[in-house]
Amino acid sequence: MKKSDLTGWQKVCAFTIAQNYKSKGTVIGLVIVCLFILFAGPILALAGGSKIEEVVEDLGGCKIENIYILNDTDITFDEKEFVKENADYEKINFITSGVDEDAIHEKMKNEPTRDIFMHIYGKQQIEGEDEAKYRIALFRSKDSEISSMEMDSLSDSVKKFFFNSRLAYSGFTEEQISRMDSDVSVQTVDAADISEDKDDDFDAVTMSAVIFYSMIVMMIVLVSSQKIAVSLVTEKSSKVIETLLLTVRPLAIIVGKIVGTIVVLVVNAVIMLFCGMISGVVTTALTAKKFSSVITEGMANIQNSGNGMEIDPESLTVNDMNIDPVRIFAGIGIVIITTVLAFVFYSIISGITGASCSSMDDLSNASSFIALSSVAGVYLAMGAAIANNPVLTEVAYLFPFSGIYMVPVHFMFGKAGFSDVLILWAELILLTVFLFRFAAKVYHVLVYHNGERLKLTNLLEISKSQKGTV
Amino acid sequence: MSLEVKELSKKYGEKTVVDNLNFVMNEPGVYALLGTNGAGKTTSIRMMLGMLAHDTGEVLWKGKPLDSVTCNVGYLAEERGLYPKYSLMDQLLYFASLRNVPKGEAQKRIKYWAERFEVEEYIYPGKTSKGRKIPPKKPEQLSKGNQQKIQLISALISDPELLILDEPLSGLDPVNTDLFKSVIHEQIAKEKFLIMSSHQMPTIEEFCTDITILNKSKTVLQGNLNDIKKSYGRVNLFVKCEGDVLPLAEECGVTLVSQKETEYQFKVTGDDQANELLSKIIANKIVVVKFELREPSLHEIFVEKVGAVNEEK
């Protein structure tokens, strides 16, 4: 490859960019996507207002006034101990004696109250169940102000407290109860992975991220590289290529198209990001305006409850998801670089594919390799993410077709090291250089090819026979 | 020497498509590259322009390898090509920019040539009677002739020193043929170097001073057209009389090629045989309307040369 082989690529690039934005279809598509990004957030914020209100109200404090307790068991339900362990319920009035079940039910049926009726049944076996169980039923009144979320919360607290009460009733000490009550987490660790600090726990967040990222990158890479192939076939089938080759070399044409398409991708991404930021600001403003009073009230209630419930800003970091913020920023850079490398790699394959075809019909057949390799890569990445098998994961990292979809996300979540990223980049760069050199050899022959689609063996023959100089 | 093609060869696998092509253009003018279909004309042109790798040989322009830097070249390809969807103005400006023509200058030249070829309506937006803008037609909606005009504008847009025209007049109606011819004459008058490939022999004869005839990748005839014709001698005799001259022609040993009523095409061995026939016609008091003795046409030379080589093979 001589330096002059690339002369003029900037002009090809500029023309590619200009024609992309002159295409009505492209512009309309971009406008639709931007409008969706702009309006989806604010519309959802407005539509989901009532839900937010409910959540904020729940945060505001406990709505329950009275809890009537009917206990059929020998196990004591000590309401004072219950309140000690669950400070949120300290203002509730517990009524344990003289409880008339029918009268309470009748009252709850007819009028909305802030009362709860709790019936603790003795051990009994219900039809369809294998063993006898204790049952606790919590009733609230018709049209009660007490939300389902609050009922769920009470249910959990009662269940846990009754479990501990059972153990205490059986003669266990507090220490023994604490030991029994502690949760157990089981982790399997491969000794070889200890140094890599890998966590083999099944991680739904990482898996979802791999799937989501794979889909987006596959779409970007496939759609954009396909555009290059279509553009080359159009130039060949319309014979424009003959006019272009008078002043620019085939490699300059393909490089110009690849760079032009990358610029278009980046510009579109920036425009969409800008729309997303505007949408975020508008959504936040709308939400804050609509619910500011509710939030203020809710926060006041939290503070007034005096039960020590605090919101620690430090604790609201992504640390809970086991993600290091530094890794996220490094990861974003890695995502961008990997996507660009993957795009260049696929673009060169698309360029050779496009040049080996003489018509759009040929191209649709020839492009199946690109689509299949990409889909296979995505499936391998997703399979490795789901299976969480170290060997399969390593294979998916090393195989570039799947590595491009997996390694950046796993790096962000701390599952892949920088060494994995470097290996993937090295593979992509080497493959790209190899393909570029191959393209340089065969491309000027391919652009004049007219007739049946050339197969890989034909391309290799052409590559071998290229001894002459241009 | 301005253009020098030396020992240019090209093989595809075992098949030789151009075999040792050599020619020189010392002076401005038109050089013809002729040949049967598949003789290697277009491949030779592509190699000369550096669009296709050559196995051996070199192409020099004023002593330096010919490329877009050393020579301002214009090229009208045999297979006309325009982007089917992009506007013609965008395409012409793109082709101009690839050939380093500044945008302003390119716009001026496009305007000039659009008026000259009467294709403004395809390049510039029009207006309805109510003043509304009408976008120009897309290239795919243009007739073949109009597409060819746009192609020639693209070839001429850099005001090239060397203009290569591959089948420039094929598919044109007589009016547009004359228009193209006038442009070619203009380029010759401006002392440009032209290389023309065509199957239309009268056109070649009208413009070209020197020729190369290719047949199955090999050069079968090369040189100055007038010299080539002179070397064949004046052997074509056209006679139009008001009487039958066939018996007289037989007496002189003249070969009849074709006859249409009293118009005869003869093949003679030379001036003496023709003079003998003319003397006999006059002696027999047959009125002569036309008596023309001329050199063989390029068409005849071409057919003879290519046919002879093919027969030998």
Side-chain angles (χ1 to χ4, degrees), chain A residues 36 50 57 61 75 153 180 206 245 286 325 367 463-464:
Chain A
F36 178 78
S50 58
E57 266 187 19
I75 304 159
S153 173
M180 288 186 70
T206 314
L245 290 177
L286 274 175
S367 301
S463 166
K464 276 183 197 166

PDB file of all heavy atoms in Angstrom, chain A residues 36 50 57 61 75 153 180 206 245 286 325 367 463-464:
ATOM      1  N   PHE A  36     -38.827  11.039  20.092  1.00  0.00           N
ATOM      2  CA  PHE A  36     -39.169   9.995  21.067  1.00  0.00           C
ATOM      3  C   PHE A  36     -38.371  10.197  22.351  1.00  0.00           C
ATOM      4  O   PHE A  36     -38.926  10.177  23.450  1.00  0.00           O
ATOM      5  CB  PHE A  36     -38.885   8.610  20.459  1.00  0.00           C
ATOM      6  CG  PHE A  36     -39.156   7.475  21.396  1.00  0.00           C
ATOM      7  CD1 PHE A  36     -40.447   7.038  21.622  1.00  0.00           C
ATOM      8  CD2 PHE A  36     -38.115   6.855  22.071  1.00  0.00           C
ATOM      9  CE1 PHE A  36     -40.699   6.004  22.514  1.00  0.00           C
ATOM     10  CE2 PHE A  36     -38.355   5.825  22.961  1.00  0.00           C
ATOM     11  CZ  PHE A  36     -39.650   5.399  23.172  1.00  0.00           C
ATOM     12  N   SER A  50     -49.405   9.361  39.662  1.00  0.00           N
ATOM     13  CA  SER A  50     -50.162   8.822  40.783  1.00  0.00           C
ATOM     14  C   SER A  50     -49.352   7.772  41.539  1.00  0.00           C
ATOM     15  O   SER A  50     -49.420   7.670  42.758  1.00  0.00           O
ATOM     16  CB  SER A  50     -51.466   8.217  40.287  1.00  0.00           C
ATOM     17  OG  SER A  50     -51.181   7.230  39.344  1.00  0.00           O
ATOM     18  N   GLU A  57     -46.153   9.021  49.516  1.00  0.00           N
ATOM     19  CA  GLU A  57     -47.041   8.961  50.677  1.00  0.00           C
ATOM     20  C   GLU A  57     -46.607   7.856  51.625  1.00  0.00           C
ATOM     21  O   GLU A  57     -46.581   8.036  52.835  1.00  0.00           O
ATOM     22  CB  GLU A  57     -48.473   8.713  50.219  1.00  0.00           C
ATOM     23  CG  GLU A  57     -49.236  10.013  50.049  1.00  0.00           C
ATOM     24  CD  GLU A  57     -50.704   9.753  49.768  1.00  0.00           C
ATOM     25  OE1 GLU A  57     -51.183   8.652  50.049  1.00  0.00           O
ATOM     26  OE2 GLU A  57     -51.333  10.666  49.259  1.00  0.00           O
ATOM     27  N   GLY A  61     -44.860   8.015  56.269  1.00  0.00           N
ATOM     28  CA  GLY A  61     -45.105   7.521  57.621  1.00  0.00           C
ATOM     29  C   GLY A  61     -46.235   6.508  57.647  1.00  0.00           C
ATOM     30  O   GLY A  61     -46.887   6.273  56.640  1.00  0.00           O
ATOM     31  N   ILE A  75     -48.611 -19.315  71.491  1.00  0.00           N
ATOM     32  CA  ILE A  75     -47.420 -18.452  71.351  1.00  0.00           C
ATOM     33  C   ILE A  75     -47.851 -17.001  71.543  1.00  0.00           C
ATOM     34  O   ILE A  75     -48.727 -16.505  70.826  1.00  0.00           O
ATOM     35  CB  ILE A  75     -46.777 -18.640  69.970  1.00  0.00           C
ATOM     36  CG1 ILE A  75     -46.436 -20.110  69.762  1.00  0.00           C
ATOM     37  CG2 ILE A  75     -45.553 -17.769  69.806  1.00  0.00           C
ATOM     38  CD1 ILE A  75     -46.284 -20.503  68.320  1.00  0.00           C
ATOM     39  N   SER A 153     -45.452  -4.524  53.888  1.00  0.00           N
ATOM     40  CA  SER A 153     -44.391  -4.245  54.847  1.00  0.00           C
ATOM     41  C   SER A 153     -44.761  -4.800  56.228  1.00  0.00           C
ATOM     42  O   SER A 153     -43.931  -5.432  56.906  1.00  0.00           O
ATOM     43  CB  SER A 153     -44.183  -2.732  54.880  1.00  0.00           C
ATOM     44  OG  SER A 153     -43.298  -2.408  55.887  1.00  0.00           O
ATOM     45  N   MET A 180     -29.695 -18.677  64.424  1.00  0.00           N
ATOM     46  CA  MET A 180     -30.601 -19.383  63.497  1.00  0.00           C
ATOM     47  C   MET A 180     -31.183 -18.450  62.449  1.00  0.00           C
ATOM     48  O   MET A 180     -31.442 -18.815  61.308  1.00  0.00           O
ATOM     49  CB  MET A 180     -31.750 -20.023  64.276  1.00  0.00           C
ATOM     50  CG  MET A 180     -31.310 -21.211  65.093  1.00  0.00           C
ATOM     51  SD  MET A 180     -32.702 -22.000  65.823  1.00  0.00           S
ATOM     52  CE  MET A 180     -33.492 -22.715  64.431  1.00  0.00           C
ATOM     53  N   THR A 206     -25.709  -7.790  35.370  1.00  0.00           N
ATOM     54  CA  THR A 206     -24.654  -7.920  34.353  1.00  0.00           C
ATOM     55  C   THR A 206     -25.202  -8.603  33.100  1.00  0.00           C
ATOM     56  O   THR A 206     -24.934  -8.168  31.983  1.00  0.00           O
ATOM     57  CB  THR A 206     -23.473  -8.757  34.904  1.00  0.00           C
ATOM     58  OG1 THR A 206     -23.160  -8.286  36.191  1.00  0.00           O
ATOM     59  CG2 THR A 206     -22.273  -8.653  34.005  1.00  0.00           C
ATOM     60  N   LEU A 245     -12.607   6.290  -9.764  1.00  0.00           N
ATOM     61  CA  LEU A 245     -11.262   5.707  -9.762  1.00  0.00           C
ATOM     62  C   LEU A 245     -10.272   6.483 -10.611  1.00  0.00           C
ATOM     63  O   LEU A 245      -9.073   6.220 -10.563  1.00  0.00           O
ATOM     64  CB  LEU A 245     -11.319   4.252 -10.238  1.00  0.00           C
ATOM     65  CG  LEU A 245     -11.988   3.285  -9.261  1.00  0.00           C
ATOM     66  CD1 LEU A 245     -12.072   1.893  -9.857  1.00  0.00           C
ATOM     67  CD2 LEU A 245     -11.229   3.231  -7.948  1.00  0.00           C
ATOM     68  N   LEU A 286     -40.529  18.781  35.614  1.00  0.00           N
ATOM     69  CA  LEU A 286     -41.958  18.461  35.674  1.00  0.00           C
ATOM     70  C   LEU A 286     -42.287  17.687  36.942  1.00  0.00           C
ATOM     71  O   LEU A 286     -43.236  18.002  37.657  1.00  0.00           O
ATOM     72  CB  LEU A 286     -42.355  17.599  34.470  1.00  0.00           C
ATOM     73  CG  LEU A 286     -42.724  18.322  33.184  1.00  0.00           C
ATOM     74  CD1 LEU A 286     -42.972  17.312  32.080  1.00  0.00           C
ATOM     75  CD2 LEU A 286     -43.966  19.172  33.393  1.00  0.00           C
ATOM     76  N   PRO A 325     -17.443   3.652  40.257  1.00  0.00           N
ATOM     77  CA  PRO A 325     -17.683   4.765  39.324  1.00  0.00           C
ATOM     78  C   PRO A 325     -16.508   5.001  38.365  1.00  0.00           C
ATOM     79  O   PRO A 325     -16.712   5.346  37.212  1.00  0.00           O
ATOM     80  CB  PRO A 325     -17.877   5.959  40.237  1.00  0.00           C
ATOM     81  CG  PRO A 325     -18.211   5.400  41.565  1.00  0.00           C
ATOM     82  CD  PRO A 325     -17.598   4.050  41.644  1.00  0.00           C
ATOM     83  N   SER A 367     -24.265 -10.932   2.273  1.00  0.00           N
ATOM     84  CA  SER A 367     -24.253 -10.307   3.600  1.00  0.00           C
ATOM     85  C   SER A 367     -24.630 -11.271   4.703  1.00  0.00           C
ATOM     86  O   SER A 367     -24.492 -10.938   5.879  1.00  0.00           O
ATOM     87  CB  SER A 367     -25.229  -9.132   3.640  1.00  0.00           C
ATOM     88  OG  SER A 367     -24.869  -8.207   2.680  1.00  0.00           O
ATOM     89  N   SER A 463      -6.054 -12.479  -4.687  1.00  0.00           N
ATOM     90  CA  SER A 463      -5.021 -11.947  -3.796  1.00  0.00           C
ATOM     91  C   SER A 463      -3.651 -12.503  -4.160  1.00  0.00           C
ATOM     92  O   SER A 463      -2.654 -11.775  -4.188  1.00  0.00           O
ATOM     93  CB  SER A 463      -5.380 -12.302  -2.356  1.00  0.00           C
ATOM     94  OG  SER A 463      -4.305 -12.099  -1.516  1.00  0.00           O
ATOM     95  N   LYS A 464      -3.601 -13.806  -4.471  1.00  0.00           N
ATOM     96  CA  LYS A 464      -2.320 -14.445  -4.824  1.00  0.00           C
ATOM     97  C   LYS A 464      -1.784 -13.914  -6.147  1.00  0.00           C
ATOM     98  O   LYS A 464      -0.579 -13.768  -6.332  1.00  0.00           O
ATOM     99  CB  LYS A 464      -2.521 -15.955  -4.940  1.00  0.00           C
ATOM    100  CG  LYS A 464      -2.445 -16.676  -3.608  1.00  0.00           C
ATOM    101  CD  LYS A 464      -2.587 -18.168  -3.854  1.00  0.00           C
ATOM    102  CE  LYS A 464      -2.931 -18.905  -2.577  1.00  0.00           C
ATOM    103  NZ  LYS A 464      -3.390 -20.272  -2.858  1.00  0.00           N
TER     104      LYS A 464
END
